[in-house]
Amino acid sequence: MEHTMKILVVDDYATMRRIVRNLLTQIGFSDIEEAGDGVTALAKLRESKFGLVISDWNMEPMTGLQLLKEIRADNKLNATPFIMVTAESKTENVVAAKEAGVNNYIVKPFNADTLKQKITSVIGAF
């Protein structure tokens, strides 16, 4: 089953973007765009509608947390579902992301099933 929702994958590491894209494809998404940093991601979000953002936490020059805060501060974008991906499951990171308005959180490494569960918890069954 193919899903029409457009997803933006944000990570400064091209290999990780490819991994997430492949996992999304496995669970039925095909309309996937990528951004290598938060600045590019914001530009893409402002010119086109996305149903979901999946962003890495550790990026330069704008972190995933900063990107999330920018999205939540923008009246046109603030309802966009946002899933944060990180290699660290530190409590303070989870709390900071929640306070900033993250919809869900994925700790690397993860598989297609985990990704599907997280997306389902954010946007409902698909």
Side-chain angles (χ1 to χ4, degrees):
M1 164 112 187
E2 195 170 299
H3 311 291
T4 55
M5 185 173 71
K6 193 167 168 181
I7 299 177
L8 181 60
V9 177
V10 190
D11 199 310
D12 56 358
Y13 190 46
T15 303
M16 196 63 209
R17 290 197 307 271
R18 195 167 62 243
I19 290 167
V20 174
R21 175 188 282 273
N22 290 342
L23 292 174
L24 286 166
T25 304
Q26 280 176 41
I27 58 178
F29 292 98
S30 59
D31 195 353
I32 304 158
E33 283 197 33
E34 298 178 16
D37 60 69
V39 177
T40 306
L42 272 177
K44 283 179 179 267
L45 285 160
R46 288 183 172 134
E47 67 195 28
S48 183
K49 182 149 177 48
F50 287 87
L52 176 66
V53 175
I54 300 174
S55 174
D56 187 43
W57 180 294
N58 297 311
M59 296 186 295
E60 296 291 334
M62 182 189 285
T63 66
L65 187 63
Q66 288 169 314
L67 173 61
L68 173 61
K69 288 177 177 176
E70 289 282 335
I71 289 171
R72 292 297 178 248
D74 186 313
N75 289 336
K76 290 194 179 82
L77 303 176
N78 62 14
T80 308
F82 193 107
I83 295 177
M84 187 78 76
V85 179
T86 182
E88 301 160 37
S89 56
K90 285 194 216 140
T91 311
E92 60 265 31
N93 286 14
V94 178
V95 170
K98 284 218 184 311
E99 284 174 353
V102 79
N103 296 91
N104 218 317
Y105 206 88
I106 302 179
V107 179
K108 297 178 201 172
F110 57 92
N111 59 22
D113 285 340
T114 303
L115 186 59
K116 186 173 183 177
Q117 287 168 6
K118 298 287 182 174
I119 293 173
T120 300
S121 78
V122 171
I123 63 164
F126 58 86

